[in-house]
Amino acid sequence: MTAPNITPGLRPDLSVVGRSMPQLDNVAKATGMAKYTADLKISGMLYAKVLRSPFPHARILDIDTSKAERLSGVKAVICHKNVPRVAYNSYYREPIDEERLPADEYIFDKKVRYVGDKVAAVAATSLDIAEEALERIEVEYEELPFVLDPLEALDPDAPRIHDVENNLVKEVQWDVGDVEQGFAEADYIFENSYRTQMQQHVPLEPHCNIAQFDSNGKLHVISSTQGTFNVRVLLGKILNMPLNKIRVTRPHIGGGFGGKNDLFDEILSALLSRKTKRPVRLVNTREEEFSSTRVRHCHVIDLRYGVKKDGTFVAREMKALLNTGAYAAAGGKVTLTTGHRWIMLYRTPHVRYVGKCLYCNTPVAAAMRGFGTPQQSFATESMIDEIAHELGIDPVEIRLKNHRRVGDFDPISKITLGSVGIPECLTKGAEAIEWTKKRKTRKDAGRYRRGVGVALGTHNTGVKPFVNELSSAFIKVNEDGSFNLLTGVVDLGQGSDTVLTQIAAEVLGVSAEDISVVNPGDTDTTPYDMGTHSSRQTYLGGMAVKMAAEEAKGQLLDEAAKRLEARREDLEMRDRKIYVKGSPSVNISLADVAVGLIHGDVTHQVMGRGSFSPVTNAPPFEVHFAEVEVDTETGAVKVIKFAAAHDLGKTVNPLLSEGQVQGGVHMGIGYTFWEGIQMDPKTGRYLNVNLTDYKVTSPVDMPPIEIILVESDEPTGPYGAKGLGEPAMVPTAPAIANALYDAIGIRFQQLPITREKVFEAIQKQGLQQ
Amino acid sequence: MERHRITLKINGESHLLEVESRETLLQVLRDRLDLTGAKEGCGVGACGSCTVLIDGRPMNACLILAVAVQGQEILTIEGLSDGDTLHPLQKSFAERGAIQCGFCTPGMILSAKGFLDETPRPNEAEVRHALVGNFCRCTGYSKIVEAILATPEA
């Protein structure tokens, strides 16, 4: 294994934090012992299937489930006629969301709004019988005109999908300074338009859940979900049940990427289970994964930039339209972040953002890795590249000139930036890709043309201050000096269990093996966490765990001080012992202290509690460099080398940090070239909702990736850490698009940049270099 | 639906089963034998998460009818380690961060084993080609390829 490139490599004194170690449950995964939701069988379990709309927009005039109910083996059928009519938003977390997020969803509505929208659900003794039952449900639809594009949805004459004018879910406008004055002061003005496509998360494990009621009427839901507490609170709201009567847990999860944040069909399983008095399991097919879970918002972005001759940004304006699909879900929030991250990244005295979130009769868009930032970055980093080229300024230099610095105030979130590793990301990434040398290489010869491109990005670590948030943890000591860690944080496979264990182990002076994370995310037994999203868990989950470990440590030191007849300030904890500083022969083992506290004369259960309420946000920063080779005869583009420099504050586990970057670049390459759900404009139906026709990046398409982890030491994060998971794919597409321009002199303003588009552009425009 | 009595040899053990004509090997493994290591990711043989070895060859269990593989040696991930001793591929994957969510892992490891048994000292390009039938959404393949190249047989 090559050693990771970490700069400057903070805190070599740390024993566990900062060390590469594989995820703690890797052996279980490698032996097939790890259980995912669809692997679980419960005695008496029924199988659920969902009937889904074949039309993009239609009224349900009538629905008759009687034939399905009569089929032997069918135990319950639900539709809008026999379920509560409660309006909700599947992204809801807290009371203030009543104002922020439109409650436009029902368990089943009398109208369907996209192909794949739910119409009815069946629970039967086998999957085959459940599928047969769906065929016997008779639905009378009245088809309605539909709209698939946000530009059309905005038209006053467009079909109305919900009871809102112009299908407008939310409009956000932010002004900093006076943008028209800024344009008047600019030496040059640039304008361009960009479009991005409907990428899907494609977690390898489809959404699935199991619901069952116990004999006391308590509901237990097992779900492949990123946010157990969110599922719980929404189930409580819709079913009108108190939260102590609902338990949500999760076994191993096969990836999420933001697509498993919301409440999904857990509500259907719960209702079927309540009706049948049996456990009910519901597993999505891959087609349902594509059509009926979540997708990334498609953005239509118009940009206008005003700059000085020397490349200084004077004025920036963005108009963004977002296709949020048939229901709002988190759309309003993505509209906010699209504008906010863009405003935050570069110093500019005059800025205007107008973002509009629109309904269309398409799959529901919500959180997907980057939450609006990858879309926005494709547009804005392409624009900056164009400006740099026009002015004859190096694209790395123009970013070095204009980016935000430590101590800068972000006018939208009103936070002050505590750590900004952008210069190191730009310069070290440039070195890794051999930027200067490769840009000088002659390009105007031969069938194969090469080029290099760069893009800068940011995102967030958690959601403060736009949303309040909490992460919490308990640590208890066992009588042999080992520890159990109870955290609400859900591990999707990214490794939060391992990272949080490392943080606790560092504080307590033990090794990772001495701490067991127990049932993380179990809403009955672990304290609240808001969910695994927004790249928040190392920072927020980590701070909560650090606080809990420090409290437990304090209690152990107090006891050791009595036993050693020393002062607490003179003690230190390491290697499972507590020592007197300077006199290491005077020590007591943790086991001794622990057993004494549990079984001695004066007993006490050592329990550390951590509850982290952030006051600020610590944005991560990232720079991607791509080198491409274009076959000008076919339009085929190969990424031949990639460098990814990430300011993540501090890496807690370099092996896992690298894994995030590699996975992010993989997803970003797919976003650039071949991913996207395609629809037939005549029917609103999907053309490629399977894993053969929806193209994902194969191992052969992946370039070697050099990774640089920049440690800018965030003052508010645990050991200086901040987020990484989403930044890993924020600047990938624009870096590649900019490299394409460098290679063949053609700009692509729409994603995906398919081989056909490249070929046609070369044919039409000729090679410009 | 016609039912057949068949004997399947899985991980060295014989199983006498009564199956329908249309039952796939994946369904038999997961629903009848509790061997849930092989996963259903797509149902159409595109993702490889159901990969098992049939007479040493990696195949998608979701595309194979159980009745068609009588008399053949079927190896699933549960049969790969030797008691408590991990197969070198399992060890390599686990230690090198070639696993994140783990859903692709059983299929990926078995594909790798089938490939390495045929091509004991591959180069990187050959490894990458061998994995095109196994989809991974988490890792970007980098550490999976490293783990395979670092395995002693490679």
Side-chain angles (χ1 to χ4, degrees):
Chain A
M1 267 191 289
T2 52
N5 183 341
I6 307 175
T7 175
L10 300 170
R11 309 285 302 277
D13 56 302
L14 297 173
S15 333
V16 189
V17 165
R19 299 294 155 114
S20 284
M21 64 179 70
Q23 289 192 37
L24 299 171
D25 54 2
N26 273 359
V27 171
K29 291 166 181 168
T31 55
M33 295 297 110
K35 293 288 182 193
Y36 300 76
T37 305
D39 299 335
L40 302 174
K41 278 195 212 74
I42 296 172
S43 167
M45 188 171 83
L46 297 172
Y47 300 82
K49 288 292 293 180
V50 181
L51 181 67
R52 299 193 182 276
S53 167
F55 301 113
H57 199 197
R59 259 183 222 112
I60 296 177
L61 297 178
D62 199 13
I63 178 167
D64 180 354
T65 62
S66 56
K67 294 202 180 86
E69 288 167 53
R70 285 202 291 274
L71 181 61
S72 171
V74 171
K75 299 301 177 191
V77 183
I78 52 176
C79 67
H80 73 78
K81 291 181 173 176
N82 59 356
V83 299
R85 187 165 174 83
V86 177
Y88 64 94
N89 180 302
S90 53
Y91 202 71
Y92 173 96
R93 280 154 176 60
E94 51 184 323
I96 200 175
D97 286 336
E98 309 262 4
E99 296 161 30
R100 290 180 177 173
L101 301 174
D104 57 11
E105 297 172 68
Y106 294 92
I107 300 168
F108 297 112
D109 200 357
K110 294 175 197 169
K111 208 180 159 204
V112 289
R113 296 177 174 84
Y114 67 104
V115 175
D117 203 351
K118 46 193 164 117
V119 174
V122 167
T125 51
S126 79
L127 210 49
D128 284 336
I129 294 173
E131 282 172 2
E132 172 72 35
L134 291 188
E135 315 245 321
R136 294 177 181 216
I137 298 174
E138 293 170 339
V139 188
E140 202 188 325
Y141 293 101
E142 178 196 339
E143 287 182 64
L144 299 167
F146 59 89
V147 61
L148 304 176
D149 186 285
L151 272 165
E152 289 170 29
L154 202 48
D155 191 301
D157 292 330
R160 240 191 221 203
I161 300 171
H162 291 269
D163 197 13
V164 294
E165 261 181 69
N166 301 335
N167 291 308
L168 185 63
V169 175
K170 189 182 183 81
E171 179 164 345
V172 176
Q173 178 158 340
W174 281 320
D175 281 288
V176 177
D178 177 342
V179 81
E180 293 308 330
Q181 180 198 322
F183 285 120
E185 290 169 9
D187 292 328
Y188 300 105
I189 296 179
F190 294 82
E191 285 187 55
N192 232 323
S193 292
Y194 304 85
R195 261 193 186 254
T196 64
Q197 81 283 40
M198 192 177 289
Q199 188 182 30
Q200 214 271 334
H201 314 66
V202 201
L204 196 50
E205 181 207 20
H207 286 62
C208 43
N209 69 79
I210 302 174
Q212 56 187 316
F213 283 82
D214 71 11
S215 46
N216 290 320
K218 181 161 176 173
L219 171 62
H220 180 191
V221 168
I222 302 170
S223 180
S224 179
T225 181
Q226 295 175 226
T228 47
F229 289 88
N230 304 329
V231 171
R232 183 178 77 160
V233 75
L234 260 173
L235 286 174
K237 209 174 185 305
I238 300 170
L239 296 171
N240 199 24
M241 286 175 69
L243 298 182
N244 64 321
K245 299 280 198 211
I246 302 174
R247 179 181 183 204
V248 182
T249 61
R250 24 70 59 179
H252 278 91
I253 297 175
F257 313 107
K260 292 179 177 172
N261 268 334
D262 304 26
L263 177 75
F264 289 98
D265 296 335
E266 294 93 343
I267 183 61
L268 303 182
S269 309
L271 286 167
L272 289 167
S273 181
R274 189 162 69 180
K275 232 173 178 272
T276 60
K277 303 205 184 335
R278 290 170 68 164
V280 174
R281 188 176 81 185
L282 196 161
V283 181
N284 271 5
T285 63
R286 180 56 57 184
E287 289 71 20
E288 287 174 310
E289 270 307 290
F290 278 111
S291 67
S292 308
T293 61
R294 294 290 177 264
V295 296
R296 187 186 283 288
H297 285 78
C298 300
H299 281 47
V300 180
I301 293 179
D302 293 325
L303 293 178
R304 194 158 62 124
Y305 274 51
V307 301
K308 293 287 198 195
K309 280 195 260 287
D310 68 355
T312 307
F313 298 163
V314 179
R316 293 189 280 145
E317 183 178 22
M318 179 189 294
K319 293 189 182 123
L321 296 183
L322 282 71
N323 173 1
T324 203
Y327 299 94
K333 298 196 173 183
V334 181
T335 311
L336 285 170
T337 56
T338 297
H340 169 247
R341 311 297 181 250
W342 170 66
I343 296 174
M344 190 257 290
L345 183 54
Y346 290 101
R347 288 175 159 177
T348 313
H350 309 285
V351 183
R352 166 171 289 168
Y353 171 70
V354 179
K356 292 184 180 158
C357 183
L358 296 155
Y359 289 120
C360 289
N361 294 112
T362 56
V364 180
M368 181 174 173
R369 199 171 196 171
F371 210 79
T373 311
Q375 298 95 306
Q376 169 263 111
S377 296
F378 171 67
T380 56
E381 291 296 301
S382 297
M383 169 63 95
I384 291 171
D385 198 66
E386 186 173 331
I387 294 169
H389 277 91
E390 283 299 310
L391 299 182
I393 300 173
D394 183 309
V396 170
E397 290 301 319
I398 200 171
R399 289 167 172 92
L400 282 168
K401 192 184 205 39
N402 287 289
H403 72 81
R404 292 260 194 222
R405 305 332 198 219
V406 176
D408 274 8
F409 179 74
D410 168 13
I412 304 301
S413 67
K414 317 252 190 294
I415 61 137
T416 301
L417 296 175
S419 61
V420 178
I422 294 175
E424 294 84 352
C425 287
L426 283 165
T427 51
K428 293 212 176 288
E431 260 173 56
I433 204 89
E434 297 178 284
W435 175 254
T436 311
K437 172 175 147 202
K438 286 183 176 159
R439 288 189 80 235
K440 288 203 178 106
T441 313
R442 281 182 66 79
K443 297 170 209 305
D444 57 353
R447 170 175 167 181
Y448 294 93
R449 307 285 176 97
R450 291 188 173 188
V452 285
V454 62
L456 168 66
T458 181
H459 193 44
N460 53 225
T461 302
V463 288
K464 192 86 178 175
F466 295 107
V467 179
N468 293 329
E469 55 181 324
L470 169 64
S471 188
S472 43
F474 299 144
I475 289 188
K476 64 171 188 144
V477 177
N478 302 312
E479 54 268 50
D480 62 351
S482 66
F483 298 84
N484 285 12
L485 170 57
L486 303 165
T487 165
V489 172
V490 168
D491 190 331
L492 306 181
Q494 86 283 22
S496 52
D497 284 356
T498 305
V499 163
L500 297 180
T501 302
Q502 285 177 263
I503 290 172
E506 186 69 54
V507 171
L508 295 165
V510 299
S511 70
E513 286 70 42
D514 298 321
I515 303 184
S516 285
V517 192
V518 183
N519 273 344
D522 179 343
T523 58
D524 263 7
T525 56
T526 63
Y528 185 89
D529 177 80
M530 200 197 176
T532 296
H533 54 76
S534 312
S535 309
R536 64 191 289 276
Q537 295 302 15
T538 300
Y539 181 84
L540 277 112
M543 281 305 287
V545 166
K546 188 162 186 281
M547 290 163 73
E550 279 162 357
E551 184 172 276
K553 178 178 179 179
Q555 293 165 33
L556 290 162
L557 289 178
D558 280 341
E559 180 65 12
K562 284 191 211 130
R563 302 271 300 265
L564 295 174
E565 292 175 345
R567 294 182 315 161
R568 186 184 142 152
E569 312 81 80
D570 295 333
L571 297 177
E572 60 185 356
M573 238 163 105
R574 59 187 157 78
D575 305 326
R576 302 192 194 92
K577 288 192 162 93
I578 297 175
Y579 298 84
V580 172
K581 288 181 208 172
S583 305
S585 56
V586 184
N587 65 69
I588 183 169
S589 72
L590 269 187
D592 239 332
V593 174
V595 78
L597 283 169
I598 291 182
H599 296 295
D601 282 337
V602 181
T603 52
H604 173 70
Q605 167 68 62
V606 171
M607 172 70 110
R609 297 152 311 170
S611 198
F612 183 55
S613 179
V615 296
T616 185
N617 204 298
F621 298 96
E622 56 276 0
V623 181
H624 284 185
F625 287 84
E627 184 180 5
V628 301
E629 181 178 86
V630 184
D631 178 352
T632 57
E633 281 184 26
T634 65
V637 182
K638 198 166 163 59
V639 183
I640 56 177
K641 196 171 153 80
F642 205 90
H646 281 262
D647 166 17
L648 45 37
K650 163 119 194 80
T651 172
V652 175
N653 185 325
L655 185 70
L656 301 191
S657 298
E658 286 179 334
Q660 285 304 297
V661 177
Q662 289 159 348
V665 171
H666 173 262
M667 207 177 266
I669 288 176
Y671 190 50
T672 307
F673 290 119
W674 32 68
E675 287 191 45
I677 293 179
Q678 286 154 25
M679 273 172 268
D680 176 356
K682 294 198 201 72
T683 61
R685 295 197 184 147
Y686 314 114
L687 301 174
N688 64 341
V689 289
N690 60 73
L691 284 177
T692 307
D693 299 315
Y694 182 101
K695 303 289 182 199
V696 289
T697 306
S698 86
V700 171
D701 300 315
M702 287 298 292
I705 304 169
E706 198 167 322
I707 299 173
I708 299 134
L709 302 175
V710 172
E711 295 188 321
S712 61
D713 199 12
E714 168 55 39
T716 60
Y719 301 100
K722 45 187 185 177
L724 177 64
E726 290 168 284
M729 76 163 280
V730 160
T732 316
I736 295 172
N738 294 338
L740 260 175
Y741 178 78
D742 190 48
I744 59 174
I746 298 174
R747 287 234 177 257
F748 293 90
Q749 279 140 222
Q750 293 199 21
L751 290 179
I753 304 171
T754 61
R755 182 186 290 204
E756 289 84 353
K757 282 185 195 165
V758 176
F759 176 76
E760 275 165 24
I762 292 174
Q763 295 293 299
K764 201 159 130 191
Q765 300 176 44
L767 295 161
Q768 306 293 313
Q769 297 278 53
Chain B
M1 174 65 53
E2 212 185 322
R3 299 180 79 84
H4 308 267
R5 302 191 118 222
I6 62 170
T7 304
L8 291 182
K9 192 141 179 250
I10 300 172
N11 301 335
E13 263 182 57
S14 284
H15 297 269
L16 180 61
L17 299 157
E18 198 178 284
V19 301
E20 291 182 8
S21 310
R22 60 180 174 161
E23 269 184 71
T24 64
L25 177 59
L26 184 65
Q27 286 170 322
V28 167
L29 290 172
R30 289 179 58 78
D31 300 338
R32 289 184 184 276
L33 299 175
D34 261 326
L35 293 169
T36 57
K39 309 291 182 204
E40 179 162 345
C42 73
V44 297
C47 73
S49 50
C50 65
T51 305
V52 295
L53 295 183
I54 311 235
D55 286 341
R57 291 178 59 214
M59 304 197 76
N60 290 314
C62 73
L63 293 180
I64 295 171
L65 296 177
V67 295
V69 285
Q70 285 198 88
Q72 293 179 281
E73 297 276 345
I74 300 166
L75 183 70
T76 73
I77 193 70
E78 292 88 346
L80 189 57
S81 37
D82 182 8
D84 279 340
T85 309
L86 294 177
H87 185 276
L89 273 169
Q90 290 171 310
K91 190 163 187 292
S92 197
F93 268 61
E95 287 174 356
R96 289 169 179 274
I99 304 175
Q100 288 188 30
C101 83
F103 202 80
C104 76
T105 303
M108 192 75 72
I109 288 178
L110 289 171
S111 276
K113 175 180 178 6
F115 166 68
L116 284 178
D117 287 347
E118 286 273 296
T119 314
R121 268 168 299 278
N123 60 38
E124 183 176 333
E126 287 168 327
V127 173
R128 287 182 178 274
H129 272 282
L131 298 180
V132 293
N134 288 84
F135 175 47
C136 172
R137 194 51 158 170
C138 296
T139 68
Y141 299 100
S142 307
K143 293 188 190 300
I144 291 175
V145 172
E146 270 174 37
I148 293 170
L149 288 170
T151 301
E153 285 136 30

